[in-house]
Amino acid sequence: MRIHNKKKSQLSENRVTPEPIYRQRRQILQGLGFGLGAAALSGPASAGFLGSLLGNKESAPSTGAATTDPLTFARPDAYRLALPQTAERVATSYNNFYEFGADKSDPARYAQQFKTRPWTLTISGEVDNPQTLDVWAWMEKQRLEERIYRHRCVEAWSMVIPWLGVPLADIITAAGPTSRARYVAFETLYDPEQMRGQASRFTGGGIDYPYVEGLRLDEAMHPLALLTVGMYGKTLPPQNGAPIRLVVPWKYGFKGIKSIVRIHLTDRQPPTTWNRLASYEYGFYANVNPKVDHPRWSQASERVIGEGGLFGSERQPTLMFNGYEDEVAGLYRGMDLRKFY
């Protein structure tokens, strides 16, 4: 996202669409020797996704969708959003979840047999009360909230999604952070037998797994940071990070680590997957910032994917901190956001 000493994309703003941006992002993998061939980007998986958006049942991928269960939740007024929501069928079929493949349709296609029961979550590190939770039992005891958040991908497309979860601060507070805790590290399940992208560096985009992410402790404790267990009134489908994932709405979507098995508090800034893979493009903070371009495309605007799906969606200006500036700007007061991108 730094723009100095980097050559910007030659595409004009009105020609930058989600799929070309998606392909541009994969070029960094090609440079690292893990390039995706043309077939991987334009083959049956992509065609199936396009068919599903257009309502062509014959072209749509047959996913054998995993079962999701209704959840009981509150709807706090503070987290309502007067914007059209993205259609559920789109939000659950147009995903980045490289553990199941690098194409947008791969997670919906290949994650349906993913086993999420039983599931444990470990909270460790600089805490007075380390814990290992049975996620499903823990979930039953929580007072879940529906929060309708903007979701902004670093690839310059966005959605509006009704998530279900609890404040991340709740689980951190229960663990009792010590005075040495400064950062919170997250880790995704590592299971190459279930996750085809972890079994093949080609299929999984050349990423070193397991996927890891991190936040400063004050970011993690912010009321907007959500430990998420559902969407659209139901438990998360596997392609969206079942059974438990992170949602941090003022940051780019890759910060929203999926299928979490470990939360670790530490006194040092933890490594994060995309920063480790391409640090000049993906920073630790990853705050949505229309004034700081990605080295190869503008972040000044985004294509909004709503009820109508990818096609027919319009571009709109990107908001600072994805529209949550009033709530979170104080976290970064005095910081150079071009340096700490």
Side-chain angles (χ1 to χ4, degrees):
M1 282 171 273
R2 278 183 286 192
I3 60 173
H4 50 279
N5 298 326
K6 297 294 176 185
K7 184 177 180 181
K8 292 180 65 175
S9 171
Q10 296 304 307
L11 288 174
S12 62
E13 179 61 25
N14 64 355
R15 294 180 59 204
V16 178
T17 59
E19 195 63 20
I21 286 176
Y22 162 69
R23 296 186 187 191
Q24 285 181 327
R25 191 181 182 194
R26 275 51 175 186
Q27 288 174 2
I28 66 170
L29 307 177
Q30 294 175 343
L32 294 171
F34 304 110
L36 297 171
L41 290 171
S42 59
S46 293
F49 168 71
L50 298 180
S52 69
L53 287 187
L54 291 169
N56 184 346
K57 295 182 179 179
E58 293 182 356
S59 299
S62 176
T63 61
T67 301
T68 54
D69 299 318
L71 291 169
T72 301
F73 53 90
R75 287 191 168 104
D77 289 340
Y79 302 107
R80 312 308 294 163
L81 199 60
L83 291 173
Q85 294 179 23
T86 300
E88 181 180 0
R89 64 185 174 83
V90 177
T92 57
S93 62
Y94 191 77
N95 310 87
N96 286 322
F97 197 177
Y98 282 52
E99 281 80 352
F100 296 101
D103 192 89
K104 288 291 191 293
S105 66
D106 283 347
R109 180 182 291 272
Y110 294 110
Q112 299 311 310
Q113 304 305 314
F114 181 52
K115 295 179 176 61
T116 61
R117 296 175 186 260
W119 195 278
T120 56
L121 174 64
T122 299
I123 300 96
S124 60
E126 293 293 342
V127 294
D128 293 324
N129 183 28
Q131 303 177 40
T132 298
L133 304 175
D134 177 323
V135 165
W136 294 100
W138 170 84
M139 191 187 307
E140 290 178 357
K141 299 175 183 177
Q142 304 308 303
R143 186 178 184 275
L144 302 179
E145 296 181 352
E146 180 182 72
R147 298 188 176 187
I148 303 173
Y149 281 164
R150 297 178 180 89
H151 174 86
R152 174 59 154 82
C153 182
V154 74
E155 297 167 350
W157 54 265
S158 65
M159 296 183 179
V160 175
I161 299 176
W163 302 106
L164 304 173
V166 298
L168 175 60
D170 288 1
I171 202 168
I172 294 175
T173 299
T178 73
S179 60
R180 287 174 53 84
R182 293 289 183 271
Y183 294 89
V184 184
F186 304 86
E187 186 175 309
T188 293
L189 177 71
Y190 182 70
D191 188 348
E193 291 188 4
Q194 290 200 79
M195 294 173 153
R196 61 193 290 270
Q198 293 180 345
S200 163
R201 291 182 66 78
F202 176 82
T203 302
I207 289 174
D208 289 328
Y209 292 103
Y211 196 101
V212 291
E213 257 303 338
L215 298 171
R216 277 189 344 213
L217 180 60
D218 58 343
E219 294 178 311
M221 298 296 287
H222 193 279
L224 286 174
L226 194 68
L227 201 54
T228 303
V229 297
M231 60 192 301
Y232 296 94
K234 297 166 286 189
T235 53
L236 288 169
Q239 65 266 32
N240 291 90
I244 189 165
R245 62 167 292 168
L246 179 66
V247 173
V248 191
W250 69 93
K251 295 180 179 289
Y252 291 116
F254 65 84
K255 296 293 286 186
I257 186 170
K258 303 175 180 73
S259 301
I260 303 169
V261 294
R262 188 182 184 212
I263 298 175
H264 185 79
L265 277 70
T266 176
D267 61 344
R268 298 182 181 182
Q269 181 174 304
T272 62
T273 288
W274 279 96
N275 177 250
R276 188 164 56 186
L277 185 66
S279 61
Y280 61 92
E281 294 197 7
Y282 305 100
F284 174 81
Y285 284 94
N287 291 320
V288 176
N289 189 342
K291 300 177 182 178
V292 178
D293 290 340
H294 187 282
R296 288 178 285 110
W297 60 79
S298 171
Q299 294 289 14
S301 68
E302 63 203 52
R303 186 167 294 282
V304 183
I305 304 177
E307 175 63 35
L310 179 62
F311 301 101
S313 57
E314 300 293 332
R315 297 198 73 82
Q316 70 176 22
T318 291
L319 300 174
M320 186 66 188
F321 294 113
N322 202 25
Y324 299 96
E325 184 173 8
D326 289 347
E327 293 91 335
V328 304
L331 294 172
Y332 312 103
R333 188 172 290 114
M335 293 177 61
D336 181 347
L337 298 184
R338 290 183 178 272
K339 179 179 179 181
F340 298 101
Y341 60 97

